[in-house]
């Protein structure tokens, strides 16, 4: 065989193997799944936290923080695109770690937000810039000609020549294209016409804490959502409403049922999806998981329910769809076979204990050598867990019939507020025989903040409620 033919032949085999390993073709995901890892077109976990979404030519562009599993240090801001909000294609690292300076190595860069400037047509990116210990914060900005970047970091956004020395931030673009910067506490500043500086303080502080400021407008009402100040821990986010951005703002209470910790997430953005019949406002939140923020932090995206001018997320939807033509949101029922923990086809190694929580049968273990194994013939498998305050990280692997690992991820089963949820859903695989292995890692999310307050799980348990095969 001529050399070039050999190269083509070997490449074809490698591509086929690669496609088999990441047997998730783009366009396969059929819904918005909260609280579990999403995979991009390369089979890599989508890393885009503290995010926002910008629409351009019928496509959604998602910007968010890249994370590692080891530290808080700025690791860049990613950009993904999607035509349906379900399948995300990695586009670029829109702003990488700079060689040096305020977004260089060992710095903090968070809560990236991008808006298209209506007058220049440029894309302007805003972010929280800080030291690793969160002691010298300001709001920075970067600009690009193309939505996917590369973005040029320009330094602090100035108001009367001075930086805005705030940490959590967000942005809001009003119907007339005017841009606003939101900062923790509920302060709002108006951006200049080119979005590259600040020209006015629109609204003073309205609450203490009020991190992750997220603002949207429906008709003539502005809704301002924020969280309490609990580091990476989730809390009950709350909101205000007003008829003008300069207030007066009325406190309206919690966004989700009390003690559900905003369905175990923290707000970052609300996306308006306007259709021919309906408009869905999609709450976007982060389910942080320190320290394994890359592998195990996930996204909680839920449709907001309106009752008059009150908003809520009354129940948690594991999976839902939104029709981009009509604008309507729909819950979907997953058509699957269920296996409860006592199913004889599941084998357990190490020490496990069966019991029930709220009549839900569960099995749990914190034995560092424990794992469960289950052989199945199908194309997709999922796992419901009972998230609990003493749960830790589980390792999930799927092996093909040659024993090769085709999917591998770490999932976080911790929640300060107990709740049963879908915690893992594999990519869609080629229909075949596989083995699922779920292992206790002996690790858990826990950390302390700059005041040395301790947060996170009290144990390394993993608590499984059921497996589903689709
Ligand atoms: C909460 C903020 O909302 C996050 O963006 C991040 O800064 C964490 N605190 C850090 O503890």
């Amino acid at each position: 065989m001529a050399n070039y033919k050999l190269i083509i032949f070997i490449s074809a085999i490698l591509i086929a193997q690669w496609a088999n390993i990441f047997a998730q073709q783009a366009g396969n995901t059929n819904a918005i799944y909260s609280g579990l890892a999403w995979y991009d077109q390369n089979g890599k976990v989508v890393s885009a936290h503290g995010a926002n979404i910008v629409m351009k030519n019928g496509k959604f562009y998602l910007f968010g923080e890249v994370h590692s599993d080891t530290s808080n240090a700025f690791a860049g801001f990613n950009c993904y695109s999607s035509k349906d909000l379900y399948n995300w294609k990695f586009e670029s690292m829109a702003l990488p770690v700079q060689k040096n300076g305020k977004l260089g190595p060992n710095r903090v860069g968070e809560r990236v937000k991008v808006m298209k400037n209506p007058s220049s047509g440029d894309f302007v990116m805003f972010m929280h810039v800080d030291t690793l210990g969160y002691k010298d914060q300001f709001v920075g900005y970067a600009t690009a000609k193309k939505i996917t970047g590369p973005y040029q970091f320009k330094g602090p956004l100035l108001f009367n020549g001075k930086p805005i020395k705030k940490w959590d931030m967000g942005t809001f673009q009003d119907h007339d294209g005017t841009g606003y910067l939101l900062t923790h506490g509920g302060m709002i500043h108006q951006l200049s016409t080119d979005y590259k500086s600040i020209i006015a303080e629109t609204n003073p502080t309205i609450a203490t804490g009020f991190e992750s400021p997220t603002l949207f407008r429906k008709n003539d009402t502005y809704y301002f959502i924020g969280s309490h100040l609990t580091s990476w821990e989730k809390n009950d986010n709350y909101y205000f409403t007003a008829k003008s951005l300069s207030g007066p703002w009325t406190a309206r209470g919690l966004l989700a049922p009390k003690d559900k910790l905003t369905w175990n997430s923290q707000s970052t953005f609300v996306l308006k999806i306007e259709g021919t019949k309906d408009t869905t406002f999609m709450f976007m939140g982060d389910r942080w998981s320190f320290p394994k923020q890359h592998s195990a932090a996930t996204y909680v995206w839920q449709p907001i329910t309106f009752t008059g001018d009150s908003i809520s997320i009354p129940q948690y939807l594991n999976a839902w769809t939104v029709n981009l033509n009509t604008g309507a949101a729909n819950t979907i029922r997953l058509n699957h076979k269920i296996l409860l923990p006592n199913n004889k086809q599941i084998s357990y190694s190490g020490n496990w204990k069966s019991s029930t929580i709220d009549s839900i049968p569960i099995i749990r273990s914190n034995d560092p050598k424990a794992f469960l194994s289950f052989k199945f013939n199908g194309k997709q498998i999922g796992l419901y867990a009972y998230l609990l305050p003493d749960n830790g990280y589980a390792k999930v692997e799927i092996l093909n019939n040659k024993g090769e690992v085709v999917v591998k991820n770490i999932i976080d089963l911790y929640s300060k507020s107990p709740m049963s949820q879908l915690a893992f859903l594999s990519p869609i695989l080629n229909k075949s025989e596989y083995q699922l292995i779920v292992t206790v890692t002996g690790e858990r999310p826990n950390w302390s903040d700059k005041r040395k307050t301790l947060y996170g799980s009290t144990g390394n348990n993993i608590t499984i409620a059921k497996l589903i095969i689709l």
Side-chain angles (χ1 to χ4, degrees), residues 30 41 45 133 161 369 432:
N30 60 348
Q41 79 278 20
V45 166
K369 291 185 212 78
S432 180

Side-chain angles (χ1 to χ4, degrees), residues 65 72 110-111 128 134 168 211-212 227 231-232 266 288:
E65 302 155 10
N72 248 6
E110 291 177 351
R111 299 210 162 271
H128 159 201
Y134 294 95
D168 272 19
E211 285 194 326
S212 62
S227 77
S231 184
W232 300 111
Q266 184 186 25
W288 303 113

Side-chain angles (χ1 to χ4, degrees), residues 307-418:
T307 313
D309 67 354
S310 296
I311 54 169
S312 68
I313 307 174
Q315 51 181 351
Y316 178 83
L317 306 180
N318 285 301
W320 61 284
T321 57
V322 55
N323 183 318
L324 298 179
N325 292 322
T326 64
N330 279 302
T331 311
I332 61 158
R333 294 191 65 79
L334 302 174
N335 191 11
H336 53 245
K337 183 174 156 197
I338 296 175
L339 288 102
L340 295 177
N342 63 357
N343 192 297
K344 293 280 174 285
Q345 289 169 268
I346 308 175
S347 62
Y348 295 94
S349 169
N351 295 320
W352 290 81
K353 273 195 192 121
S354 302
S355 62
T356 57
I357 306 178
D358 290 337
S359 317
I360 297 178
I362 53 124
I363 191 158
R364 71 195 228 118
S365 175
N366 65 359
D367 172 0
K369 291 185 212 78
F371 64 90
L372 73 76
S373 157
F374 171 64
K375 289 197 170 141
F376 67 100
N377 195 320
K379 53 188 173 80
Q380 199 174 23
I381 188 160
L383 181 155
Y384 276 78
Y386 216 111
L387 310 182
L388 289 168
D390 63 356
N391 276 350
Y393 292 116
K395 182 168 78 181
V396 179
E397 290 164 300
I398 299 177
L399 279 56
N400 64 14
N401 53 13
K402 291 187 206 121
E404 295 162 339
V405 177
V406 294
V407 176
K408 185 177 177 179
N409 202 14
I410 299 288
I411 60 170
D412 181 1
L413 303 187
Y414 162 72
S415 168
K416 204 173 152 211
S417 166

Side-chain angles (χ1 to χ4, degrees), residues 1-303:
M1 205 184 289
N3 264 355
Y4 76 94
K5 280 192 182 160
L6 186 65
I7 289 167
I8 292 171
F9 179 69
I10 292 171
S11 308
I13 289 178
L14 287 175
I15 289 167
Q17 277 180 351
W18 179 87
N20 189 36
I21 286 178
F22 299 112
Q24 179 214 17
Q25 295 88 32
N28 265 348
T29 303
N30 60 348
I32 294 169
Y33 292 92
S34 289
L36 39 93
W38 298 342
Y39 303 94
D40 68 11
Q41 79 278 20
N42 302 318
K44 291 200 171 135
V45 166
V46 171
S47 195
H49 288 280
N52 90 321
I53 287 178
V54 183
M55 270 211 82
K56 188 178 171 265
N57 300 337
K59 258 199 205 172
F60 299 96
Y61 289 85
L62 172 71
F63 292 88
E65 302 155 10
V66 179
H67 277 277
S68 75
D69 278 353
T70 47
S71 95
N72 248 6
F74 176 57
F77 296 135
N78 272 343
C79 173
Y80 295 83
S81 70
S82 173
K83 287 186 184 147
D84 55 16
L85 293 170
Y86 314 151
N87 296 279
W88 291 97
K89 176 180 173 228
F90 174 75
E91 289 283 352
S92 61
M93 186 179 276
L95 186 77
V97 179
Q98 310 288 285
K99 280 205 180 72
N100 45 46
K102 302 285 187 190
L103 279 181
N106 297 316
R107 297 278 306 177
V108 155
E110 291 177 351
R111 299 210 162 271
V112 53
K113 301 284 174 285
V114 170
M115 293 192 289
K116 180 175 175 158
N117 183 267
S119 53
S120 65
D122 289 354
F123 294 88
V124 189
M125 172 186 270
F126 302 86
M127 75 292 288
H128 159 201
V129 181
D130 217 325
T131 59
L132 254 187
Y134 294 95
K135 294 209 168 122
D136 184 21
Q137 53 277 155
F138 66 85
V139 177
Y141 77 105
T143 58
K145 292 276 172 217
K146 259 180 71 188
I147 190 161
T148 51
Y151 285 78
Q152 302 296 323
F153 179 54
K154 303 283 184 187
L157 187 70
L158 301 178
F159 181 31
N160 294 332
K162 293 196 193 100
I164 302 284
K165 291 194 162 280
K166 295 272 195 166
W167 57 88
D168 272 19
M169 42 71 60
T171 55
F172 171 67
Q173 193 172 47
D174 210 343
H175 291 176
D176 63 0
T178 309
Y180 295 89
L181 173 77
L182 322 167
T183 44
H184 62 93
M187 218 175 203
I188 303 175
H189 286 97
Q190 186 182 336
L191 296 169
S192 56
T193 315
D194 64 5
Y195 288 0
K196 292 179 190 169
S197 64
I198 284 172
I199 54 168
E201 182 188 305
T202 306
N203 191 59
T205 295
I206 50 175
T208 49
F210 206 63
E211 285 194 326
S212 62
T214 303
L215 198 150
F216 71 95
R217 175 177 175 174
K218 186 183 182 203
N219 303 326
D220 62 350
T221 304
Y222 295 95
Y223 297 82
F224 206 174
I225 302 169
S227 77
H228 296 283
L229 213 157
T230 55
S231 184
W232 300 111
E233 184 55 276
K234 284 70 73 180
N235 59 57
D236 285 336
N237 292 188
Y238 55 108
Y239 74 102
F240 293 82
T241 55
K243 295 289 177 198
S244 156
L245 286 173
S246 53
W249 290 93
T250 308
R252 303 297 300 268
L254 304 184
L255 182 61
K258 187 169 167 11
D259 296 332
K260 294 295 179 195
L261 316 178
T262 326
W263 300 113
N264 205 18
S265 78
Q266 184 186 25
S267 64
T268 184
F269 194 68
V270 169
L271 179 71
K272 182 179 178 183
I273 306 153
E274 206 167 358
T276 49
K277 294 198 185 119
D278 217 337
T279 302
T280 292
F281 289 83
M282 182 175 82
F283 167 84
M284 294 165 57
D286 293 290
R287 185 171 290 177
W288 303 113
S289 180
F290 195 87
K292 296 197 187 297
Q293 304 264 42
H294 172 73
S295 305
T298 57
Y299 310 93
V300 174
W301 290 6
Q302 299 283 316

